[in-house]
Amino acid sequence: QADGMSEVGNSTLTTHVLNTATGLPAAGLVVHLAQLQEPGPQWTELAQRRTDADGRCQPLLAPGQATAGTYKLHFETAEYWQGLGHTSFYPFVEVVFIITDPAQKLHVPLLISPYSYTTYRGS
């Protein structure tokens, strides 16, 4: 029965932010999700979250909310680093990606340090 799994299951978008300078989750980092309106270049904000102590936040798209299209995760990294007493080379990080199959679960992690970042399509 898929009903009990719907929260975790299909068509959700999740992220996880890790501070690679400390090896710890990036807690309290603000994340915005926007979708590109076709024809562009207008972005419509869909969600805003703040990462928890584990560097995670509630799914950015609820089951059934995703549609095919181009999306952007905007991570407020400068505010995060300032909170730790560091300056950051990157004032924010934007990860733009395409959802082709709205029923597929997407996980887009971000690894950050004051002078670098890495992202990948997770599972």
Side-chain angles (χ1 to χ4, degrees):
Q1 180 59 280
D3 291 347
M5 295 300 289
S6 62
E7 288 288 316
V8 190
N10 354 354
S11 74
T12 58
L13 171 66
T14 55
T15 188
H16 185 202
V17 186
L18 287 172
N19 176 339
T20 59
T22 61
L24 298 171
L29 193 146
V30 174
V31 182
H32 301 269
L33 172 69
Q35 184 175 14
L36 183 64
Q37 298 309 301
E38 299 298 344
Q42 301 262 90
W43 292 92
T44 300
E45 184 162 312
L46 302 177
Q48 179 180 324
R49 304 279 189 271
R50 187 177 290 269
T51 58
D52 62 15
D54 195 36
R56 300 176 190 273
C57 54
Q58 290 295 311
L60 291 140
L61 286 174
Q65 192 184 355
T67 56
T70 303
Y71 291 80
K72 169 174 70 176
L73 283 172
H74 176 99
F75 298 88
E76 298 284 352
T77 52
E79 176 188 77
Y80 169 77
W81 290 115
Q82 283 166 4
L84 295 178
H86 295 288
T87 56
S88 172
F89 183 66
Y90 301 101
F92 55 84
V93 172
E94 288 189 336
V95 180
V96 179
F97 56 96
I98 297 170
I99 293 180
T100 51
D101 178 2
Q104 197 166 35
K105 183 185 185 315
L106 279 179
H107 185 60
V108 183
L110 182 68
L111 309 176
I112 58 170
S113 82
Y115 299 101
S116 70
Y117 67 88
T118 304
T119 184
Y120 56 95
R121 182 174 176 169
S123 59

